[in-house]
Amino acid sequence: MLRRHRTNSVAGGVHFITAVTEERGSWFVREPICRAILLEFERCRSRLGIQCAGYVLMPDHLHALLMQTEDGDQISELVRAFKVSTARDWNLIRGGMSLEAGHAPLGELRWRRRFDDVAVINNAVAHTMLDYLHANPVKREFVEAPERYLWSSARDYWEIGKGIVTVATDLIGPKLS
């Protein structure tokens, strides 16, 4: 029997989470799909009152740096609500779009049951995690610079625009050299 993944933490606890699709691939590559997925993440985050210091949506996973605002399993509840709603509404999210050349047909969206959750112990680690998630699209060669990727919080940090998810850029404090 699989155990349900729960993170029981305290208010002010910062967590680096990763949610991955069950079948790896190019799920989140088209603009309307990426927008809808991130809007749903923002809706769930906002409803639960969790603060976000950074995020990136990749073709088959989501990374986020989150801070709980109350004791308990807020982070687990956010991830569960996000996965359930996006999987349930997948056909609405993808909106019957025609397939572009080179893209595999998209079947039913399923997320892996568990998600990765790393407790962030200090500001230096938080900045390392932010650098990692913002560099992800560059490493995969989607863009040449992090701030050019529309589906992350990099634009918020470079102050050239606002992403879909509300980001508290001052949440983790200044980066120390």
Side-chain angles (χ1 to χ4, degrees), residues 97-129:
M97 290 187 289
S98 61
L99 297 174
E100 299 170 16
H103 286 104
L106 298 173
E108 180 182 350
L109 175 63
R110 285 188 231 161
W111 294 94
R112 290 186 182 169
R113 284 182 171 237
R114 296 181 61 89
F115 66 96
D116 293 331
D117 182 348
V118 177
V120 178
I121 57 174
N122 59 41
N123 284 352
V125 173
H127 282 287
T128 299
M129 298 296 196

PDB file of all heavy atoms in Angstrom, residues 97-129:
ATOM      1  N   MET A  97      -6.716  21.475 -28.601  1.00  0.00           N
ATOM      2  CA  MET A  97      -5.816  22.092 -29.572  1.00  0.00           C
ATOM      3  C   MET A  97      -5.323  21.061 -30.573  1.00  0.00           C
ATOM      4  O   MET A  97      -5.114  19.907 -30.231  1.00  0.00           O
ATOM      5  CB  MET A  97      -4.619  22.714 -28.859  1.00  0.00           C
ATOM      6  CG  MET A  97      -4.976  23.923 -28.048  1.00  0.00           C
ATOM      7  SD  MET A  97      -3.517  24.719 -27.393  1.00  0.00           S
ATOM      8  CE  MET A  97      -3.034  23.533 -26.178  1.00  0.00           C
ATOM      9  N   SER A  98      -5.132  21.511 -31.798  1.00  0.00           N
ATOM     10  CA  SER A  98      -4.583  20.614 -32.806  1.00  0.00           C
ATOM     11  C   SER A  98      -3.112  20.389 -32.501  1.00  0.00           C
ATOM     12  O   SER A  98      -2.431  21.250 -31.955  1.00  0.00           O
ATOM     13  CB  SER A  98      -4.752  21.206 -34.199  1.00  0.00           C
ATOM     14  OG  SER A  98      -4.055  22.436 -34.282  1.00  0.00           O
ATOM     15  N   LEU A  99      -2.633  19.232 -32.868  1.00  0.00           N
ATOM     16  CA  LEU A  99      -1.236  18.896 -32.604  1.00  0.00           C
ATOM     17  C   LEU A  99      -0.332  19.544 -33.636  1.00  0.00           C
ATOM     18  O   LEU A  99      -0.634  19.563 -34.819  1.00  0.00           O
ATOM     19  CB  LEU A  99      -1.048  17.380 -32.632  1.00  0.00           C
ATOM     20  CG  LEU A  99      -1.818  16.632 -31.553  1.00  0.00           C
ATOM     21  CD1 LEU A  99      -1.681  15.141 -31.776  1.00  0.00           C
ATOM     22  CD2 LEU A  99      -1.305  17.008 -30.190  1.00  0.00           C
ATOM     23  N   GLU A 100       0.760  20.084 -33.163  1.00  0.00           N
ATOM     24  CA  GLU A 100       1.751  20.667 -34.054  1.00  0.00           C
ATOM     25  C   GLU A 100       2.709  19.575 -34.487  1.00  0.00           C
ATOM     26  O   GLU A 100       2.858  18.560 -33.817  1.00  0.00           O
ATOM     27  CB  GLU A 100       2.522  21.765 -33.317  1.00  0.00           C
ATOM     28  CG  GLU A 100       1.636  22.890 -32.842  1.00  0.00           C
ATOM     29  CD  GLU A 100       2.375  23.833 -31.905  1.00  0.00           C
ATOM     30  OE1 GLU A 100       3.607  23.791 -31.859  1.00  0.00           O
ATOM     31  OE2 GLU A 100       1.697  24.590 -31.212  1.00  0.00           O
ATOM     32  N   ALA A 101       3.369  19.780 -35.605  1.00  0.00           N
ATOM     33  CA  ALA A 101       4.344  18.803 -36.096  1.00  0.00           C
ATOM     34  C   ALA A 101       5.418  18.583 -35.038  1.00  0.00           C
ATOM     35  O   ALA A 101       5.901  19.523 -34.425  1.00  0.00           O
ATOM     36  CB  ALA A 101       4.976  19.310 -37.384  1.00  0.00           C
ATOM     37  N   GLY A 102       5.759  17.352 -34.816  1.00  0.00           N
ATOM     38  CA  GLY A 102       6.817  17.018 -33.873  1.00  0.00           C
ATOM     39  C   GLY A 102       6.363  16.837 -32.444  1.00  0.00           C
ATOM     40  O   GLY A 102       7.155  16.499 -31.581  1.00  0.00           O
ATOM     41  N   HIS A 103       5.096  17.084 -32.141  1.00  0.00           N
ATOM     42  CA  HIS A 103       4.603  16.885 -30.782  1.00  0.00           C
ATOM     43  C   HIS A 103       3.809  15.594 -30.717  1.00  0.00           C
ATOM     44  O   HIS A 103       2.938  15.344 -31.546  1.00  0.00           O
ATOM     45  CB  HIS A 103       3.707  18.051 -30.330  1.00  0.00           C
ATOM     46  CG  HIS A 103       4.484  19.276 -30.011  1.00  0.00           C
ATOM     47  ND1 HIS A 103       4.546  20.351 -30.847  1.00  0.00           N
ATOM     48  CD2 HIS A 103       5.251  19.575 -28.956  1.00  0.00           C
ATOM     49  CE1 HIS A 103       5.310  21.273 -30.314  1.00  0.00           C
ATOM     50  NE2 HIS A 103       5.750  20.826 -29.164  1.00  0.00           N
ATOM     51  N   ALA A 104       4.114  14.798 -29.740  1.00  0.00           N
ATOM     52  CA  ALA A 104       3.382  13.544 -29.543  1.00  0.00           C
ATOM     53  C   ALA A 104       1.971  13.852 -29.055  1.00  0.00           C
ATOM     54  O   ALA A 104       1.752  14.868 -28.405  1.00  0.00           O
ATOM     55  CB  ALA A 104       4.111  12.677 -28.526  1.00  0.00           C
ATOM     56  N   PRO A 105       1.003  12.997 -29.370  1.00  0.00           N
ATOM     57  CA  PRO A 105      -0.352  13.209 -28.848  1.00  0.00           C
ATOM     58  C   PRO A 105      -0.338  13.205 -27.325  1.00  0.00           C
ATOM     59  O   PRO A 105       0.409  12.458 -26.702  1.00  0.00           O
ATOM     60  CB  PRO A 105      -1.134  12.008 -29.379  1.00  0.00           C
ATOM     61  CG  PRO A 105      -0.298  11.427 -30.454  1.00  0.00           C
ATOM     62  CD  PRO A 105       1.117  11.815 -30.179  1.00  0.00           C
ATOM     63  N   LEU A 106      -1.130  14.067 -26.740  1.00  0.00           N
ATOM     64  CA  LEU A 106      -1.213  14.146 -25.291  1.00  0.00           C
ATOM     65  C   LEU A 106      -2.394  13.327 -24.811  1.00  0.00           C
ATOM     66  O   LEU A 106      -3.525  13.585 -25.182  1.00  0.00           O
ATOM     67  CB  LEU A 106      -1.357  15.598 -24.846  1.00  0.00           C
ATOM     68  CG  LEU A 106      -0.190  16.513 -25.200  1.00  0.00           C
ATOM     69  CD1 LEU A 106      -0.525  17.946 -24.854  1.00  0.00           C
ATOM     70  CD2 LEU A 106       1.065  16.074 -24.508  1.00  0.00           C
ATOM     71  N   GLY A 107      -2.105  12.349 -23.988  1.00  0.00           N
ATOM     72  CA  GLY A 107      -3.166  11.530 -23.421  1.00  0.00           C
ATOM     73  C   GLY A 107      -3.677  12.129 -22.128  1.00  0.00           C
ATOM     74  O   GLY A 107      -3.702  13.340 -21.952  1.00  0.00           O
ATOM     75  N   GLU A 108      -4.030  11.272 -21.215  1.00  0.00           N
ATOM     76  CA  GLU A 108      -4.549  11.709 -19.922  1.00  0.00           C
ATOM     77  C   GLU A 108      -3.387  12.145 -19.027  1.00  0.00           C
ATOM     78  O   GLU A 108      -2.422  11.417 -18.850  1.00  0.00           O
ATOM     79  CB  GLU A 108      -5.297  10.540 -19.277  1.00  0.00           C
ATOM     80  CG  GLU A 108      -5.889  10.846 -17.944  1.00  0.00           C
ATOM     81  CD  GLU A 108      -6.567   9.631 -17.328  1.00  0.00           C
ATOM     82  OE1 GLU A 108      -6.731   8.615 -18.012  1.00  0.00           O
ATOM     83  OE2 GLU A 108      -6.912   9.721 -16.152  1.00  0.00           O
ATOM     84  N   LEU A 109      -3.505  13.342 -18.464  1.00  0.00           N
ATOM     85  CA  LEU A 109      -2.461  13.846 -17.574  1.00  0.00           C
ATOM     86  C   LEU A 109      -2.536  13.114 -16.236  1.00  0.00           C
ATOM     87  O   LEU A 109      -3.574  13.105 -15.582  1.00  0.00           O
ATOM     88  CB  LEU A 109      -2.628  15.350 -17.345  1.00  0.00           C
ATOM     89  CG  LEU A 109      -1.675  15.987 -16.330  1.00  0.00           C
ATOM     90  CD1 LEU A 109      -0.228  15.870 -16.804  1.00  0.00           C
ATOM     91  CD2 LEU A 109      -2.040  17.433 -16.096  1.00  0.00           C
ATOM     92  N   ARG A 110      -1.423  12.520 -15.867  1.00  0.00           N
ATOM     93  CA  ARG A 110      -1.311  11.891 -14.546  1.00  0.00           C
ATOM     94  C   ARG A 110      -0.010  12.339 -13.914  1.00  0.00           C
ATOM     95  O   ARG A 110       1.029  12.316 -14.543  1.00  0.00           O
ATOM     96  CB  ARG A 110      -1.308  10.362 -14.672  1.00  0.00           C
ATOM     97  CG  ARG A 110      -2.663   9.810 -14.972  1.00  0.00           C
ATOM     98  CD  ARG A 110      -2.656   8.313 -14.901  1.00  0.00           C
ATOM     99  NE  ARG A 110      -3.251   7.839 -16.142  1.00  0.00           N
ATOM    100  CZ  ARG A 110      -3.118   6.642 -16.617  1.00  0.00           C
ATOM    101  NH1 ARG A 110      -2.408   5.750 -15.978  1.00  0.00           N
ATOM    102  NH2 ARG A 110      -3.691   6.296 -17.733  1.00  0.00           N
ATOM    103  N   TRP A 111      -0.116  12.709 -12.665  1.00  0.00           N
ATOM    104  CA  TRP A 111       1.049  13.120 -11.891  1.00  0.00           C
ATOM    105  C   TRP A 111       1.535  11.932 -11.075  1.00  0.00           C
ATOM    106  O   TRP A 111       0.747  11.081 -10.673  1.00  0.00           O
ATOM    107  CB  TRP A 111       0.681  14.244 -10.931  1.00  0.00           C
ATOM    108  CG  TRP A 111       0.296  15.524 -11.601  1.00  0.00           C
ATOM    109  CD1 TRP A 111      -0.964  15.938 -11.916  1.00  0.00           C
ATOM    110  CD2 TRP A 111       1.170  16.560 -12.032  1.00  0.00           C
ATOM    111  NE1 TRP A 111      -0.922  17.164 -12.501  1.00  0.00           N
ATOM    112  CE2 TRP A 111       0.380  17.577 -12.589  1.00  0.00           C
ATOM    113  CE3 TRP A 111       2.561  16.735 -12.002  1.00  0.00           C
ATOM    114  CZ2 TRP A 111       0.915  18.750 -13.111  1.00  0.00           C
ATOM    115  CZ3 TRP A 111       3.098  17.908 -12.512  1.00  0.00           C
ATOM    116  CH2 TRP A 111       2.288  18.894 -13.057  1.00  0.00           C
ATOM    117  N   ARG A 112       2.832  11.882 -10.812  1.00  0.00           N
ATOM    118  CA  ARG A 112       3.343  10.870  -9.877  1.00  0.00           C
ATOM    119  C   ARG A 112       2.695  11.123  -8.528  1.00  0.00           C
ATOM    120  O   ARG A 112       2.488  12.259  -8.120  1.00  0.00           O
ATOM    121  CB  ARG A 112       4.854  10.970  -9.758  1.00  0.00           C
ATOM    122  CG  ARG A 112       5.546  10.517 -11.008  1.00  0.00           C
ATOM    123  CD  ARG A 112       7.039  10.472 -10.825  1.00  0.00           C
ATOM    124  NE  ARG A 112       7.665  10.078 -12.075  1.00  0.00           N
ATOM    125  CZ  ARG A 112       8.955  10.146 -12.301  1.00  0.00           C
ATOM    126  NH1 ARG A 112       9.771  10.587 -11.366  1.00  0.00           N
ATOM    127  NH2 ARG A 112       9.437   9.768 -13.465  1.00  0.00           N
ATOM    128  N   ARG A 113       2.389  10.038  -7.827  1.00  0.00           N
ATOM    129  CA  ARG A 113       1.699  10.169  -6.534  1.00  0.00           C
ATOM    130  C   ARG A 113       2.488  11.008  -5.541  1.00  0.00           C
ATOM    131  O   ARG A 113       1.932  11.826  -4.844  1.00  0.00           O
ATOM    132  CB  ARG A 113       1.442   8.793  -5.925  1.00  0.00           C
ATOM    133  CG  ARG A 113       0.326   8.078  -6.583  1.00  0.00           C
ATOM    134  CD  ARG A 113       0.117   6.746  -5.882  1.00  0.00           C
ATOM    135  NE  ARG A 113      -1.090   6.156  -6.396  1.00  0.00           N
ATOM    136  CZ  ARG A 113      -2.111   5.816  -5.659  1.00  0.00           C
ATOM    137  NH1 ARG A 113      -2.062   5.976  -4.357  1.00  0.00           N
ATOM    138  NH2 ARG A 113      -3.170   5.303  -6.206  1.00  0.00           N
ATOM    139  N   ARG A 114       3.745  10.742  -5.467  1.00  0.00           N
ATOM    140  CA  ARG A 114       4.574  11.461  -4.507  1.00  0.00           C
ATOM    141  C   ARG A 114       5.207  12.679  -5.167  1.00  0.00           C
ATOM    142  O   ARG A 114       5.242  12.784  -6.386  1.00  0.00           O
ATOM    143  CB  ARG A 114       5.648  10.541  -3.958  1.00  0.00           C
ATOM    144  CG  ARG A 114       5.034   9.388  -3.160  1.00  0.00           C
ATOM    145  CD  ARG A 114       6.074   8.472  -2.574  1.00  0.00           C
ATOM    146  NE  ARG A 114       6.972   9.124  -1.646  1.00  0.00           N
ATOM    147  CZ  ARG A 114       6.765   9.255  -0.343  1.00  0.00           C
ATOM    148  NH1 ARG A 114       5.671   8.777   0.186  1.00  0.00           N
ATOM    149  NH2 ARG A 114       7.646   9.831   0.431  1.00  0.00           N
ATOM    150  N   PHE A 115       5.695  13.572  -4.356  1.00  0.00           N
ATOM    151  CA  PHE A 115       6.430  14.719  -4.870  1.00  0.00           C
ATOM    152  C   PHE A 115       7.667  14.910  -4.006  1.00  0.00           C
ATOM    153  O   PHE A 115       7.719  14.455  -2.862  1.00  0.00           O
ATOM    154  CB  PHE A 115       5.564  15.985  -4.889  1.00  0.00           C
ATOM    155  CG  PHE A 115       5.166  16.486  -3.524  1.00  0.00           C
ATOM    156  CD1 PHE A 115       5.885  17.479  -2.889  1.00  0.00           C
ATOM    157  CD2 PHE A 115       4.057  15.955  -2.876  1.00  0.00           C
ATOM    158  CE1 PHE A 115       5.508  17.938  -1.635  1.00  0.00           C
ATOM    159  CE2 PHE A 115       3.674  16.406  -1.624  1.00  0.00           C
ATOM    160  CZ  PHE A 115       4.401  17.405  -1.001  1.00  0.00           C
ATOM    161  N   ASP A 116       8.680  15.536  -4.567  1.00  0.00           N
ATOM    162  CA  ASP A 116       9.902  15.806  -3.820  1.00  0.00           C
ATOM    163  C   ASP A 116       9.701  17.068  -3.006  1.00  0.00           C
ATOM    164  O   ASP A 116       9.148  18.057  -3.496  1.00  0.00           O
ATOM    165  CB  ASP A 116      11.090  15.996  -4.766  1.00  0.00           C
ATOM    166  CG  ASP A 116      11.456  14.726  -5.504  1.00  0.00           C
ATOM    167  OD1 ASP A 116      11.223  13.634  -4.962  1.00  0.00           O
ATOM    168  OD2 ASP A 116      11.974  14.830  -6.629  1.00  0.00           O
ATOM    169  N   ASP A 117      10.146  17.020  -1.778  1.00  0.00           N
ATOM    170  CA  ASP A 117      10.022  18.153  -0.875  1.00  0.00           C
ATOM    171  C   ASP A 117      11.307  18.243  -0.057  1.00  0.00           C
ATOM    172  O   ASP A 117      11.611  17.344   0.721  1.00  0.00           O
ATOM    173  CB  ASP A 117       8.815  17.951   0.043  1.00  0.00           C
ATOM    174  CG  ASP A 117       8.590  19.109   0.996  1.00  0.00           C
ATOM    175  OD1 ASP A 117       9.485  19.975   1.129  1.00  0.00           O
ATOM    176  OD2 ASP A 117       7.537  19.144   1.628  1.00  0.00           O
ATOM    177  N   VAL A 118      12.052  19.311  -0.282  1.00  0.00           N
ATOM    178  CA  VAL A 118      13.308  19.520   0.436  1.00  0.00           C
ATOM    179  C   VAL A 118      13.136  20.727   1.343  1.00  0.00           C
ATOM    180  O   VAL A 118      12.802  21.819   0.866  1.00  0.00           O
ATOM    181  CB  VAL A 118      14.479  19.752  -0.550  1.00  0.00           C
ATOM    182  CG1 VAL A 118      15.766  20.052   0.200  1.00  0.00           C
ATOM    183  CG2 VAL A 118      14.641  18.576  -1.490  1.00  0.00           C
ATOM    184  N   ALA A 119      13.345  20.525   2.636  1.00  0.00           N
ATOM    185  CA  ALA A 119      13.297  21.638   3.584  1.00  0.00           C
ATOM    186  C   ALA A 119      14.523  22.520   3.351  1.00  0.00           C
ATOM    187  O   ALA A 119      15.648  22.027   3.252  1.00  0.00           O
ATOM    188  CB  ALA A 119      13.278  21.114   5.014  1.00  0.00           C
ATOM    189  N   VAL A 120      14.294  23.799   3.238  1.00  0.00           N
ATOM    190  CA  VAL A 120      15.372  24.759   2.984  1.00  0.00           C
ATOM    191  C   VAL A 120      15.796  25.338   4.323  1.00  0.00           C
ATOM    192  O   VAL A 120      14.986  25.937   5.031  1.00  0.00           O
ATOM    193  CB  VAL A 120      14.899  25.860   2.009  1.00  0.00           C
ATOM    194  CG1 VAL A 120      15.990  26.881   1.782  1.00  0.00           C
ATOM    195  CG2 VAL A 120      14.446  25.229   0.697  1.00  0.00           C
ATOM    196  N   ILE A 121      17.065  25.152   4.665  1.00  0.00           N
ATOM    197  CA  ILE A 121      17.510  25.452   6.022  1.00  0.00           C
ATOM    198  C   ILE A 121      17.991  26.885   6.245  1.00  0.00           C
ATOM    199  O   ILE A 121      18.046  27.343   7.371  1.00  0.00           O
ATOM    200  CB  ILE A 121      18.606  24.468   6.473  1.00  0.00           C
ATOM    201  CG1 ILE A 121      19.786  24.505   5.507  1.00  0.00           C
ATOM    202  CG2 ILE A 121      18.038  23.070   6.592  1.00  0.00           C
ATOM    203  CD1 ILE A 121      20.980  23.686   5.948  1.00  0.00           C
ATOM    204  N   ASN A 122      18.365  27.596   5.168  1.00  0.00           N
ATOM    205  CA  ASN A 122      18.813  28.981   5.338  1.00  0.00           C
ATOM    206  C   ASN A 122      18.730  29.733   4.006  1.00  0.00           C
ATOM    207  O   ASN A 122      18.439  29.149   2.972  1.00  0.00           O
ATOM    208  CB  ASN A 122      20.228  29.045   5.940  1.00  0.00           C
ATOM    209  CG  ASN A 122      21.262  28.333   5.084  1.00  0.00           C
ATOM    210  OD1 ASN A 122      21.242  28.433   3.859  1.00  0.00           O
ATOM    211  ND2 ASN A 122      22.185  27.618   5.723  1.00  0.00           N
ATOM    212  N   ASN A 123      19.021  31.036   4.053  1.00  0.00           N
ATOM    213  CA  ASN A 123      18.934  31.876   2.854  1.00  0.00           C
ATOM    214  C   ASN A 123      19.904  31.454   1.757  1.00  0.00           C
ATOM    215  O   ASN A 123      19.584  31.549   0.576  1.00  0.00           O
ATOM    216  CB  ASN A 123      19.162  33.347   3.198  1.00  0.00           C
ATOM    217  CG  ASN A 123      17.953  33.973   3.854  1.00  0.00           C
ATOM    218  OD1 ASN A 123      16.889  33.363   3.926  1.00  0.00           O
ATOM    219  ND2 ASN A 123      18.104  35.186   4.328  1.00  0.00           N
ATOM    220  N   ALA A 124      21.096  31.013   2.139  1.00  0.00           N
ATOM    221  CA  ALA A 124      22.077  30.596   1.126  1.00  0.00           C
ATOM    222  C   ALA A 124      21.546  29.405   0.329  1.00  0.00           C
ATOM    223  O   ALA A 124      21.658  29.377  -0.901  1.00  0.00           O
ATOM    224  CB  ALA A 124      23.408  30.245   1.793  1.00  0.00           C
ATOM    225  N   VAL A 125      20.949  28.443   1.016  1.00  0.00           N
ATOM    226  CA  VAL A 125      20.366  27.285   0.330  1.00  0.00           C
ATOM    227  C   VAL A 125      19.174  27.726  -0.524  1.00  0.00           C
ATOM    228  O   VAL A 125      19.012  27.264  -1.658  1.00  0.00           O
ATOM    229  CB  VAL A 125      19.955  26.189   1.341  1.00  0.00           C
ATOM    230  CG1 VAL A 125      19.205  25.060   0.655  1.00  0.00           C
ATOM    231  CG2 VAL A 125      21.182  25.644   2.064  1.00  0.00           C
ATOM    232  N   ALA A 126      18.371  28.633  -0.008  1.00  0.00           N
ATOM    233  CA  ALA A 126      17.222  29.130  -0.771  1.00  0.00           C
ATOM    234  C   ALA A 126      17.681  29.783  -2.077  1.00  0.00           C
ATOM    235  O   ALA A 126      17.091  29.542  -3.138  1.00  0.00           O
ATOM    236  CB  ALA A 126      16.415  30.113   0.066  1.00  0.00           C
ATOM    237  N   HIS A 127      18.741  30.566  -2.020  1.00  0.00           N
ATOM    238  CA  HIS A 127      19.250  31.207  -3.241  1.00  0.00           C
ATOM    239  C   HIS A 127      19.842  30.180  -4.200  1.00  0.00           C
ATOM    240  O   HIS A 127      19.709  30.323  -5.419  1.00  0.00           O
ATOM    241  CB  HIS A 127      20.260  32.302  -2.889  1.00  0.00           C
ATOM    242  CG  HIS A 127      19.600  33.553  -2.420  1.00  0.00           C
ATOM    243  ND1 HIS A 127      18.927  34.402  -3.265  1.00  0.00           N
ATOM    244  CD2 HIS A 127      19.471  34.073  -1.179  1.00  0.00           C
ATOM    245  CE1 HIS A 127      18.433  35.406  -2.571  1.00  0.00           C
ATOM    246  NE2 HIS A 127      18.735  35.229  -1.301  1.00  0.00           N
ATOM    247  N   THR A 128      20.470  29.150  -3.671  1.00  0.00           N
ATOM    248  CA  THR A 128      20.973  28.070  -4.523  1.00  0.00           C
ATOM    249  C   THR A 128      19.814  27.398  -5.250  1.00  0.00           C
ATOM    250  O   THR A 128      19.896  27.116  -6.447  1.00  0.00           O
ATOM    251  CB  THR A 128      21.748  27.027  -3.684  1.00  0.00           C
ATOM    252  OG1 THR A 128      22.869  27.684  -3.076  1.00  0.00           O
ATOM    253  CG2 THR A 128      22.232  25.870  -4.528  1.00  0.00           C
ATOM    254  N   MET A 129      18.709  27.148  -4.534  1.00  0.00           N
ATOM    255  CA  MET A 129      17.529  26.541  -5.147  1.00  0.00           C
ATOM    256  C   MET A 129      16.918  27.463  -6.203  1.00  0.00           C
ATOM    257  O   MET A 129      16.513  27.002  -7.272  1.00  0.00           O
ATOM    258  CB  MET A 129      16.477  26.203  -4.085  1.00  0.00           C
ATOM    259  CG  MET A 129      16.940  25.203  -3.050  1.00  0.00           C
ATOM    260  SD  MET A 129      17.280  23.617  -3.790  1.00  0.00           S
ATOM    261  CE  MET A 129      17.317  22.587  -2.372  1.00  0.00           C
TER     262      MET A 129
END
